[in-house]
Amino acid sequence: MFERSKKAALSRKRLIAVAAVPALVALAICLISLSPAAVEANAMYVVSAAGPVHVDELEGDVFLTDGSAGLVSRTNGNQLVLSPGLAVTVTHHEERFTAVSQQETVEQLLERLGVQPSPLEMIAVSFPDRGVDIRIDGQFVFYEHLSTVSEHETIYQYNDRKPEWQETILQEGQDGEYTEIYEIIYQDGRRTARQLIDVVDTQPVTTIIEKGTMANFANNDDDVAAINANGDGSGTITLANGEVLTFSDTRTMRGTAYTTGGSVGTRTASGTSVRVGVVAVDRNVVPLGTKVYVVSNDGYCTYGFAVAEDTGVRGNTIDLYMDTNRECIQFGVRECTVYILD
C-alpha cells in the first residue's frame, strides 16, 4: 500500500559564474577594465563569499555567486582591496611576476610591479590556497548556470508485519534540477557573446519510507529492557528504545523448534512465508494471529517477539521456527514462558 504524503514543485533560480581560467581555484574572480592612466572605469567583480576578500568590503558592480544568494549589484567604484601578506602571481602577455600583497588595491599592486594593462585588457583575480592569482588578458569566458529545482516526493509503503512505531527509509530522496548552461564571452572590457551550450536535466528521486502498521508489537530481535507482570498475568514489556508493549496473559508452554525441509514447506497455515518470528500453535489453544513474546525458562534462548501464523502441534505446545536444522536440534524441547500480547 502506498500513500503520497508530499508532492510539491519548488522552482528557484541560481546563477553561478565561473571563469574559464585553467589551473585556477576560483574562489573569487574580478573583471576590471583599465585605462593607461588613472583607473576610472566601472568595475565588475564576480566574487564568491569565501576567500581573503569580503563581499561587504567591495565596491563596483558585485555579483555574489555562492550558489544560492543570486545577484547583488553595487555601483560607483572599481577598487578591489587585497589583504596583506598574500603570495601574488601576475601573468601578463605570458610574463609572470611575483610579489607579497600589502594593504593595497589591485591597481596599487600592479603599479608597484610596473605592470600596465592596455585600455582594452581585463583583469581576472582568483584566490587559490589563500594566495592571489592575477591574469591580464583581452578575453575571458564565463559560464552561467540557470537552474530550476523540483522538490522530490515522499511516499510511504506500509508493512503489516512491522510494528507501527517503526519507520525505515528504503530509498533516500533527492531533488531534481534542470540547468541551462550559457557560455558568456567578455572581450575588450565588454560582453560580446552569450549562447546556450548545454542542458543538464536531473530527475527527482522519490523518498520511500516503510512504515509498520502492527499495533503493540516489536521486531523479533528487538531488545527488551524490562518486563513487569501483574498478579493476574498481565503486564508490560519495555523495549530498549523506550517503546512500551502490553500483554494480557502469561503462560508456561512446552517449547519445540522446526524448520523447512522434508514435509515442512515454506508457507504457513496462514498463507505467509515461514521466517524467524513465526510460531506454530494449536489454534484451539492459541488463536492464529496472536502476538507473543517467548523466553525459555532455563535461560538458553530468548526467542523474542513472534506471531502465531502456523499450525501442526497439539495442546499446550509452541513450535518456534528457526533457520537451520542444527538450531532446532540444539533447542530440543524446553519449557518456555509465553507472554500473550494485546
Side-chain angles (χ1 to χ4, degrees), residues 12 17 38 62 70 89 100 102 111 136 140 151 231 235 268 277-278 283 295-296 309 327:
R12 60 179 183 265
V62 178
T89 300
V100 176
Q102 301 173 4
E111 289 177 352
I136 304 171
F140 287 104
E151 193 173 84
T268 69
V278 164
R283 68 178 71 196
V295 181
S296 66
E309 295 181 2
E327 290 177 290

Side-chain angles (χ1 to χ4, degrees), residues 89-97 133-137:
T89 300
V90 179
T91 303
H92 184 218
H93 295 159
E94 299 183 357
E95 188 174 2
R96 292 171 65 86
F97 304 84
D133 280 355
I134 299 176
R135 180 173 167 230
I136 304 171
D137 206 333

Side-chain angles (χ1 to χ4, degrees), residues 12 18 21 33 36-37 41 87 94 99 114-115 154 188 195 207 217 220 229 255 286 331:
R12 60 179 183 265
V18 180
V21 182
S33 177
E94 299 183 357
V115 177
T154 298
D188 301 335
Q195 61 179 348
T207 294
F217 195 59
N220 170 258
V286 178
F331 183 83

